[in-house]
Structure formats: C-alpha cells, structure tokens
Amino acid sequence: MSEHSRFLEPITRENVAVVLVDHQVGLLSGVRDISLGELKHNVAALARATTVLGIPLVVTTTAADSMWGPTAAELVQALPAEQEIIDRSTVNAWHDDRVRGAIEATGRQKLIFAGVSLEVCAALPAISATAVGHDAYVAVDASGTFSRAKREAGLLRMQQAGVIVSDYATLMVEALADNAAPDSGALYAALDMPFAVLVGQISAAHHA
C-alpha cells in the first residue's frame, strides 16, 4: 500500500487504538487555544466512545506526582475502571518502553493520539509512530496547547510529517461505520454532541 493510499483506508474498530497523553491538571491550567471546559468534555467523550466501540486505549502521564499533577478528574471518570495510567519521564511518550509496548501490544496499525500539549504530547508520539510505519491521527479538539502560535506550528509539523489531523467525533463515527449497529445509540450518547442529542430527542418524539 502506498504512502498516500494507506490513509484512504477507513478507520474501523478493528484496526485502530487510541492513545491519550498527559491530560493532567497542571498542563491543562496553561491551555489557551481551546476553552478548558470544551477540552475536558471532548477528551472524556473520546474516552467513553472508545470504550463503547471496544477500541484499545492507552493512557499516559508524565511526572504525575510532581511537576504536572494527576490526570483530570473528568477523564478519569470516563475511563474504564480497570484502565492503567502509565506514568513516565520521557518528553515523547513513544520513547517510554512501557507506553510503546502497550501501544504495540494492541496490534493496531492505525493510532489516534490526543494530548496536552498538542505540539509535544500529541504530535511527537504521532510523528514517531508514523516513522515506524503506523498510520497516525491526532484528535485536535481533544488536545490543547498554550498559545495560537504553538497550535499552528504543531499542526504544520504534523502535516509535514504525514500525520492526519481530525476531530474526536469524526474519528469515532468513522470507526462506528454503520448507524444501524447495535451500539450506535450508546456511541452517540458517549460523544455527547449537543446537536446530535437534540436530533435524537426530536426523532424520539416523532416516533412516540
């Protein structure tokens, strides 16, 4: 498969894993390119949707007991009860043997990353994964950073390296594939998109 055509292959629940990097209270306090409430909502929704679809999930922090603090409570509440959070010291999560091992153990070719900050915690492991042959995607609205310039630079660098940028809901809906799937209702509820909730309410009222 060519470098270009491999990204034309759709994301499915069978070929993708999700990696959440450093959504920690200390880092979140500095986010300026997206509202903190929206960012927390989006990453929690991504985690819930990942669980609904049975997609493997890897979660990591850096210096959680000192520099950057614990994972945001909103995300912790959205994670499966048995989910491990791997704390590391490396800047690039891909360079930690445990994190990389957990990702590779999923056996998935396609990887969706989200992180704080966007240009480091999401971009660097996504670029590293691309370098060794994975198809890497970044959910930009489940990531955040500390200035508009850093956001723009991170997006440019990822695109130059062949990382695909998208949003959390589109990536999960693509993995769902069929709105007639038995878990489609649970998936849309997990995504918690206000307009979708409204459409569902209208539809339910119409069929009542």
Side-chain angles (χ1 to χ4, degrees):
M1 186 176 294
S2 72
E3 180 70 20
H4 175 68
S5 64
R6 67 195 180 98
F7 283 113
L8 301 180
E9 178 189 9
I11 290 170
T12 71
R13 63 178 87 198
E14 290 81 22
N15 69 9
V16 74
V18 173
V19 185
L20 304 180
V21 185
D22 299 358
H23 293 84
Q24 298 167 250
V25 295
L27 291 166
L28 288 166
S29 69
V31 168
R32 296 293 181 269
D33 64 323
I34 182 174
S35 76
L36 192 56
E38 183 179 1
L39 175 54
K40 289 180 177 180
H41 168 276
N42 293 350
V43 71
L46 175 58
R48 289 193 300 269
T50 298
T51 303
V52 168
L53 294 177
I55 293 170
L57 181 62
V58 177
V59 184
T60 180
T61 55
T62 183
D65 293 331
S66 55
M67 189 179 299
W68 300 125
T71 301
E74 293 86 349
L75 175 54
V76 172
Q77 292 168 5
L79 296 173
E82 70 281 3
Q83 181 69 49
E84 178 186 11
I85 299 177
I86 304 171
D87 192 54
R88 63 182 207 287
S89 63
T90 61
V91 171
N92 184 341
W94 191 264
H95 292 162
D96 184 278
D97 291 342
R98 295 165 301 154
V99 175
R100 188 176 63 257
I103 295 170
E104 297 288 15
T106 69
R108 304 303 174 90
Q109 171 65 21
K110 295 182 180 292
L111 303 173
I112 296 170
F113 292 88
V116 179
S117 65
L118 170 69
E119 78 288 353
V120 174
C121 300
L124 295 186
I127 292 169
S128 294
T130 299
V132 296
H134 284 282
D135 308 336
Y137 302 73
V138 167
V140 295
D141 58 348
S143 305
T145 190
F146 314 128
S147 70
R148 179 176 296 178
K150 290 176 77 62
R151 178 182 180 84
E152 292 174 353
L155 292 173
L156 284 170
R157 184 176 182 186
M158 286 189 288
Q159 290 171 317
Q160 290 164 346
V163 176
I164 298 296
V165 297
S166 189
D167 64 277
Y168 83 93
T170 295
L171 293 165
M172 291 294 99
V173 170
E174 183 177 357
L176 172 66
D178 189 348
N179 285 318
D183 51 5
S184 63
L187 184 280
Y188 283 105
L191 292 176
D192 193 25
M193 299 179 291
F195 79 91
V197 173
L198 176 60
V199 170
Q201 292 171 340
I202 293 172
S203 177
H206 176 74
H207 290 95

